Amino acid sequence: QKEVEQNSGPLSVPEGAIASLNCTYSDRGSQSFFWYRQYSGKSPELIMSIYSNGDKEDGRFTAQLNKASQYVSLLIRDSQPSDSATYLCAVEAGNTPLVFGKGTRLSVIA
Amino acid sequence: DGGITQSPKYLFRKEGQNVTLSCEQNLNHDAMYWYRQDPGQGLRLIYYSQIVNDFQKGDIAEGYSVSREKKESFPLTVTSAQKNPTAFYLCATRGGYTEAFFGQGTRLTVV
């Protein structure tokens, strides 16, 4: 059974701070990694995708991948109250459905 | 306007009743998925289809059925055998080894 683990939170950070969200996965053959943001009552929307070891930056967001440690993270710089949401980590190995973690709830305090 | 359309947005089911959730896409994606989301449970895979006229069970297929007669459509039927169907249902598509795109979801409630 492929598993994706996330701390459920809530993770509370002050406005302007860096939020760090973490995810571990069990399938060493996993190749594709995604971070989704989900506001309450809404469907998930893609924030970042990462496929190779290292960092990938997009605006205020940075995804980090370490396949040896089976670990992927998302950093949000200059956190804003509008970033308050649940963040879902999703992992895929080959042509198989994405496996989602349970999500980490982030609260940015103004 | 490309995308994934789920309908209805809200659905109410009586005890013992079958209901069908619609999912239509015009992204020309081969793969389509149905996920169920309960509070604090993340997304759990119900069924998926990677090609027309073929589909596979996911982790929680009991009490559900699907069909894939057209590339654009992947309806989900919640049967009376599903004893706890109240949840948020999400349809998603993928075009190859890429991210999944989600519809707006259907919130199903048993009354």
Side-chain angles (χ1 to χ4, degrees), chain A residues 57-78:
Chain A
E57 186 174 319
D58 184 1
R60 296 187 295 113
F61 299 96
T62 298
Q64 300 175 317
L65 174 62
N66 184 326
K67 290 185 179 180
S69 300
Q70 296 174 238
Y71 175 92
V72 58
S73 65
L74 179 70
L75 300 178
I76 306 175
R77 291 182 300 280
D78 188 23

Side-chain angles (χ1 to χ4, degrees), chain A residues 7 30 44 70 80 105 110:
Chain A
N7 188 323
S30 298
Q70 296 174 238
Q80 301 298 309
R105 189 156 53 94

Side-chain angles (χ1 to χ4, degrees), chain A residues 1 31-32 34 36 38 40-46 49 51 88 92 94-103, chain B residues 9 31 33 35 37 40-43 45 48 50 59 88 90 94 96-105 107:
Chain A
Q1 181 78 359
Q31 300 168 1
S32 305
F34 307 95
Y36 287 82
Q38 186 177 25
S40 181
K42 303 295 185 182
S43 61
E45 55 180 333
L46 182 73
S49 59
Y51 304 96
L88 301 169
E92 181 241 18
N95 190 22
T96 59
L98 297 184
V99 178
F100 286 84
K102 293 185 178 181
Chain B
K9 188 173 182 179
Y33 309 86
Y35 290 92
Q37 188 174 35
Q41 291 294 315
L43 302 182
L45 183 65
Y48 67 102
Q50 294 179 308
D59 300 319
F88 188 43
L90 288 158
R94 291 178 72 196
Y97 298 93
T98 63
E99 69 270 23
F101 296 86
F102 286 89
Q104 292 184 314
R107 193 165 297 279

Side-chain angles (χ1 to χ4, degrees), chain B:
Chain B
D1 188 20
I4 305 165
T5 302
Q6 286 188 245
S7 62
K9 188 173 182 179
Y10 299 97
L11 186 57
F12 298 91
R13 192 193 94 164
K14 296 180 180 179
E15 294 285 347
Q17 188 179 43
N18 292 356
V19 292
T20 297
L21 285 59
S22 171
C23 179
E24 302 280 332
Q25 58 110 351
N26 60 6
L27 299 171
N28 199 34
H29 286 171
D30 288 318
M32 298 187 73
Y33 309 86
W34 276 105
Y35 290 92
R36 168 178 172 149
Q37 188 174 35
D38 297 279
Q41 291 294 315
L43 302 182
R44 292 186 291 170
L45 183 65
I46 305 172
Y47 268 99
Y48 67 102
S49 169
Q50 294 179 308
I51 195 170
V52 174
N53 292 322
D54 188 43
F55 49 83
Q56 287 78 39
K57 293 182 179 180
D59 300 319
I60 56 165
E62 185 175 352
Y64 300 97
S65 66
V66 295
S67 63
R68 186 84 187 276
E69 298 176 1
K70 299 185 301 181
K71 187 175 186 177
E72 299 80 15
S73 179
F74 191 41
L76 174 73
T77 296
V78 184
T79 74
S80 57
Q82 173 49 244
K83 298 307 180 186
N84 185 24
T86 295
F88 188 43
Y89 291 85
L90 288 158
C91 177
T93 72
R94 291 178 72 196
Y97 298 93
T98 63
E99 69 270 23
F101 296 86
F102 286 89
Q104 292 184 314
T106 293
R107 193 165 297 279
L108 174 63
T109 304
V110 174
V111 296

